[in-house]
Amino acid sequence: MPENAQPIARDGFALFPDRSVVAMRVNGELKDLATPLTDTDEVEAVTFDSPEGLSILRHSAAHVLAQAVQRIKPQANLGIGPPITDGFYYDFGVDTPFTPEDVKAISKEMQRIVREGQRFVRRVVSDDEARAELAGEPFKLELIGLKGGKEAAEGASVEVGEGELTIYDNVSRDGEVVWKDLCRGPHLPNTRMIGNGWDLTRIAAAYWRGSEKNPQLQRIYGTAWPSKDELRAYQQRLEEAARRDHRRLGKELDLFSFPDEIGSGLSVWHPRGGIIRGEMEQHARRRHIDAGYTYVYTPHISKEDLFLQSNHLVTYREGMFPPIHMDEERDEDGAITKQGQDYYLKPMNCPMHILIYKERARSYRDLPLRLAENGTVYRYELSGALHGLTRVRGFTQDDSHLFVTPDQLEAEVSKVLEFIISMLRDFGLDDFELELSMRDDEKEKWIGSDEFWDYSTDALRTVALASGLKLTEVPGEAAFYGPKIDLKTTDAIGRVWQLSTVQVDPNLPERFGLEFTDKDGQKKRPIMIHRALFGSIERFFAILLEHYAGDFPLWLSPVQVVGVPVAEQYADYLDEAVATLRAAGIRAEVDHSDDRMQKKIRNHTTGKVPLILIAGEQDRAAGTVSFRFRDGSQENGVPLAEAVERVRRAVEAHALVHTAEDLA
């Protein structure tokens, strides 16, 4: 019995009178507190402050949102309303989009429902009963028809699964059913427990079941927390996140843009953004070469056959751009004399790296073979899913594929993980945790032998544990062909981002017939390791931009030093000083504008320039300069040669320079 398991009572209310308990786990499954219990059940409390408790709170708030909408707009059709990270949403079929005034009215109605203390009461129903009770809800009827299938919409698992159908009634204090919804639960015991730590945050459009072929619905987002104080803390985090939003900073700092003339989700990089990206790529390239990787280059486009063999056109077709038909030839009468072929923009680099491996015979002496590429790929994301640089249609993966013998797997994964962590630390990230995605007991989902799964999963687990980082094991989340390790990092304001992935893959070597000659002279299959360190350069850039709020370490700053003369007559002296900095490899320039000195300083401080170099009569006479730092402090009379050397050392150290001490 689990450590916090309790003696059995009639139901959860008698067992857990503490109001912080919102549900219970019975024999490992989440259940409502009203669920009847037996003497043999193992029962654990689920509290508000647990991840499951927060999810239940938010799911219950989503139901109250839907009830409030139908009180105000009775003709609104219900979509789905799952809990999500930090909140919840609900989708509705309505004749006209929601307005901010609608949201205010809905919020007030939600407050009334919360105060009414309606009970959430679960009922098991048959498919026919559910259809009869929800006859006026076309989206719910569609979900009932998909019960147990693999095609349900994202978030629909909160409503239908492979087991029994259930409806939750909202029951008033006098016992009347005032509203109902198809739902798997569990829920809070009553609406009053939602409290006042919630808010509606925004409205958006969303396609039913995530497909543009389906009707467009209206989505209302909200957030919910156990207390008002936690809600306020979350709202403050949102304000800070908005201040750091990479889309806003990208525009303010002139780093990148998304011209309408090019198309949605396709970015162009401006000179300053290009400098930062170039530094990122060049540093990564040097580190990869030192670690034994070889860079390769592959086309952006390929014939259909390659993606059929790799199976991408079977499993990933909806995420690929439509084909381009080429190479067809016709005679003078228009008759086809040569059949054309379909070409596709590549969504992944791995099939082309496989062809490089396959180009010649390989021996065990060639392995491990480590191929790296900054390869631009293209994926057809729905327009509603696009988000700045973090979700685009064209992006560059710092992609690596390693081909290893089975007995090299553990050692190579260990090297890969150490390399990833070291590289990310170079960029100022140092708070990491790991997630091991494994197979579960659903045999039909996975390919490959039990021996392979056991061996490869154990190898990844051993490597992850040896890292000393927090490890979470997630059964059922592996790719169908092999386990993987995902590395997550926490940024400056506490947000967790998934970055690097290490994926073990025996499937593609099998599909492409890859071989190597082993020591015994026998032909054997290599194992392929997919490894993306940044994931996508665009997304990693956006994460860094927000992590630093645009105030990059000196080595990444597009302009590292700006010279500001006290008066125009000292500009020539600063030009000479800046030329010396440039000769040492420092990105430096002089502000020759007509603005006054203080305005120049303000402009460059706002523009996130790490160091401002100031010179006047005393500096010119002594051959010195003065540093002004991001914190507003100033260091005067620094000999020019010393100033250049200090800046150079700070660049090499990847230092974040805000104060004089940072440039010591």
Side-chain angles (χ1 to χ4, degrees):
M1 183 173 287
E3 190 174 310
N4 60 340
Q6 301 292 325
I8 302 304
R10 183 175 60 83
D11 61 24
F13 292 115
L15 191 60
F16 303 112
D18 187 342
R19 283 184 57 83
S20 68
V21 177
V22 299
M24 56 186 175
R25 191 177 291 279
V26 181
N27 303 323
E29 293 187 20
L30 288 174
K31 299 287 185 180
D32 299 304
L33 283 177
T35 302
L37 301 170
T38 70
D39 291 339
T40 59
D41 288 329
E42 292 186 351
V43 186
E44 299 172 75
V46 176
T47 57
F48 266 127
D49 58 1
S50 67
E52 296 91 346
L54 274 175
S55 183
I56 291 168
L57 166 66
R58 290 162 179 164
H59 190 193
S60 299
H63 271 231
V64 170
L65 164 61
Q67 183 183 1
V69 167
Q70 289 200 318
R71 277 188 176 182
I72 294 171
K73 295 178 177 288
Q75 301 307 313
N77 291 128
L78 300 175
I80 56 174
I84 55 175
T85 302
D86 291 338
F88 59 91
Y89 69 78
Y90 212 110
D91 291 339
F92 303 94
V94 288
D95 292 335
T96 57
F98 292 116
T99 66
E101 290 72 25
D102 290 331
V103 173
K104 289 179 183 177
I106 292 165
S107 182
K108 288 181 179 178
E109 194 62 41
M110 287 180 67
Q111 292 170 4
R112 282 191 278 271
I113 295 170
V114 168
R115 289 195 300 267
E116 288 171 10
Q118 299 173 11
R119 290 183 295 121
F120 291 99
V121 179
R122 179 178 183 269
R123 282 189 294 123
V124 178
V125 293
S126 68
D127 290 12
D128 289 341
E129 288 170 334
R131 290 190 180 96
E133 292 194 41
L134 300 170
E137 298 288 356
F139 302 116
K140 300 293 184 183
L141 295 177
E142 186 172 334
L143 290 180
I144 294 168
L146 293 171
K147 186 183 74 169
K150 307 293 186 185
E151 303 174 356
E154 181 181 356
S157 61
V158 300
E159 305 207 6
V160 295
E162 296 183 7
E164 59 193 6
L165 281 179
T166 54
I167 285 177
Y168 271 79
D169 296 325
N170 280 37
V171 180
S172 67
R173 291 183 183 179
D174 60 9
E176 180 185 357
V177 175
V178 293
W179 191 75
K180 68 181 70 171
D181 195 6
L182 182 71
C183 186
R184 297 179 69 187
H187 279 289
L188 301 177
N190 61 72
T191 61
R192 187 176 289 277
M193 291 184 70
I194 294 172
N196 58 5
W198 60 271
D199 192 21
L200 299 183
T201 55
R202 63 188 178 96
I203 49 181
Y207 289 102
W208 171 238
R209 297 177 57 205
S211 173
E212 292 183 353
K213 299 175 183 177
N214 292 332
Q216 189 177 79
L217 308 182
Q218 289 291 298
R219 177 173 293 178
I220 301 179
Y221 285 93
T223 188
W225 300 84
S227 70
K228 191 75 170 179
D229 287 344
E230 288 168 281
L231 171 64
R232 290 196 187 99
Y234 169 71
Q235 291 169 333
Q236 289 170 358
R237 291 196 299 272
L238 285 185
E239 290 171 4
E240 179 61 20
R243 186 181 74 83
R244 293 169 178 260
D245 190 313
H246 74 278
R247 296 167 298 177
R248 182 178 67 82
L249 289 172
K251 186 175 182 64
E252 290 178 0
L253 301 178
D254 193 22
L255 303 178
F256 60 86
S257 61
F258 290 87
D260 289 339
E261 296 86 343
I262 295 178
S264 298
L266 301 170
S267 61
V268 295
W269 292 68
H270 302 187
R272 294 193 174 204
I275 289 171
I276 302 171
R277 176 170 174 162
E279 287 291 335
M280 291 167 55
E281 292 177 341
Q282 289 160 27
H283 178 73
R285 184 182 182 89
R286 288 190 293 268
R287 289 290 315 271
H288 276 82
I289 291 171
D290 289 345
Y293 289 76
T294 302
Y295 273 83
V296 297
Y297 300 87
T298 60
H300 293 233
I301 192 170
S302 170
K303 290 192 292 188
E304 175 184 57
D305 291 350
L306 179 63
F307 297 122
L308 285 172
Q309 186 172 2
S310 70
N311 213 39
H312 285 113
L313 269 173
V314 177
T315 61
Y316 200 70
R317 183 183 292 269
E318 288 190 1
M320 297 174 64
F321 273 81
I324 304 168
H325 195 69
M326 298 172 62
D327 299 336
E328 183 178 279
E329 295 180 5
R330 295 174 180 265
D331 61 20
E332 294 179 355
D333 298 325
I336 296 175
T337 58
K338 178 185 176 183
Q339 294 294 329
Q341 298 193 56
D342 284 343
Y343 285 73
Y344 285 86
L345 292 170
K346 65 177 177 180
M348 319 278 188
N349 298 301
C350 38
M352 296 184 180
H353 290 188
I354 287 171
L355 295 182
I356 293 173
Y357 179 97
K358 196 176 180 180
E359 185 64 22
R360 66 177 180 83
R362 304 286 177 178
S363 159
Y364 71 93
R365 295 186 182 88
D366 299 319
L367 306 184
L369 178 64
R370 308 178 185 100
L371 303 181
E373 178 181 16
N374 288 337
T376 302
V377 298
Y378 302 88
R379 299 180 185 175
Y380 183 68
E381 299 282 359
L382 296 177
S383 57
L386 299 175
H387 183 84
L389 290 176
T390 61
R391 196 77 177 263
V392 291
R393 287 177 171 169
F395 59 94
T396 303
Q397 287 185 307
D398 65 322
D399 224 355
S400 294
H401 294 96
L402 299 89
F403 301 88
V404 302
T405 66
D407 59 356
Q408 292 171 337
L409 179 62
E410 183 176 321
E412 196 63 23
V413 170
S414 180
K415 289 179 183 177
V416 167
L417 189 59
E418 289 173 5
F419 181 69
I420 287 171
I421 292 170
S422 172
M423 270 280 290
L424 293 176
R425 283 180 171 146
D426 288 349
F427 288 90
L429 300 171
D430 57 11
D431 188 347
F432 306 118
E433 60 183 74
L434 302 176
E435 192 171 272
L436 174 60
S437 297
M438 311 179 296
R439 71 172 181 175
D440 58 18
D441 294 332
E442 295 186 35
K443 299 286 187 183
E444 70 278 3
K445 286 175 60 176
W446 320 107
I447 64 171
S449 68
D450 290 344
E451 291 78 12
F452 163 76
W453 278 96
D454 292 343
Y455 167 75
S456 58
T457 302
D458 286 345
L460 266 59
R461 181 185 291 112
T462 299
V463 168
L465 291 172
S467 73
L469 300 176
K470 176 186 175 183
L471 173 64
T472 302
E473 297 190 0
V474 189
E477 290 301 314
F480 69 92
Y481 48 78
K484 65 175 180 173
I485 293 176
D486 291 322
L487 183 142
K488 298 182 177 182
T489 189
T490 301
D491 70 9
I493 59 174
R495 296 173 300 183
V496 177
W497 300 89
Q498 193 223 301
L499 289 178
S500 309
T501 295
V502 183
Q503 172 78 62
V504 178
D505 182 3
N507 176 58
L508 283 177
E510 183 72 29
R511 293 186 71 89
F512 281 85
L514 302 189
E515 294 179 335
F516 71 95
T517 303
D518 208 352
K519 296 175 184 178
D520 59 6
Q522 298 297 309
K523 298 289 187 182
K524 297 181 181 177
R525 288 267 186 267
I527 294 175
M528 186 175 182
I529 301 173
H530 302 258
R531 193 237 64 188
L533 196 154
F534 298 149
S536 114
I537 292 175
E538 286 80 359
R539 182 172 177 270
F540 186 71
F541 177 91
I543 291 170
L544 281 186
L545 183 55
E546 295 191 3
H547 176 67
Y548 289 114
D551 191 5
F552 284 105
L554 191 61
W555 73 288
L556 284 175
S557 297
V559 179
Q560 294 164 325
V561 181
V562 167
V564 174
V566 171
E568 183 59 34
Q569 61 264 38
Y570 307 113
D572 290 344
Y573 173 70
L574 269 180
D575 280 335
E576 295 174 6
V578 162
T580 305
L581 285 165
R582 286 179 172 171
I586 308 302
R587 293 186 290 276
E589 58 190 43
V590 177
D591 187 339
H592 286 289
S593 70
D594 294 332
D595 292 329
R596 295 171 64 86
M597 182 184 76
Q598 292 304 323
K599 185 176 181 182
K600 291 180 182 181
I601 291 173
R602 283 197 304 274
N603 288 344
H604 297 302
T605 300
T606 302
K608 312 290 188 183
V609 175
L611 289 169
I612 296 176
L613 215 59
I614 299 173
E617 180 58 40
Q618 190 172 351
D619 287 309
R620 183 170 64 179
T624 62
V625 291
S626 297
F627 282 121
R628 184 178 175 88
F629 299 94
R630 294 277 295 141
D631 69 347
S633 64
Q634 194 161 310
E635 183 180 359
N636 300 322
V638 181
L640 180 58
E642 178 188 335
V644 173
E645 179 61 17
R646 286 168 63 181
V647 174
R648 188 190 63 77
R649 286 202 308 265
V651 170
E652 289 183 354
H654 291 191
L656 187 63
V657 178
H658 284 170
T659 68
E661 289 75 17
D662 298 330
L663 202 66

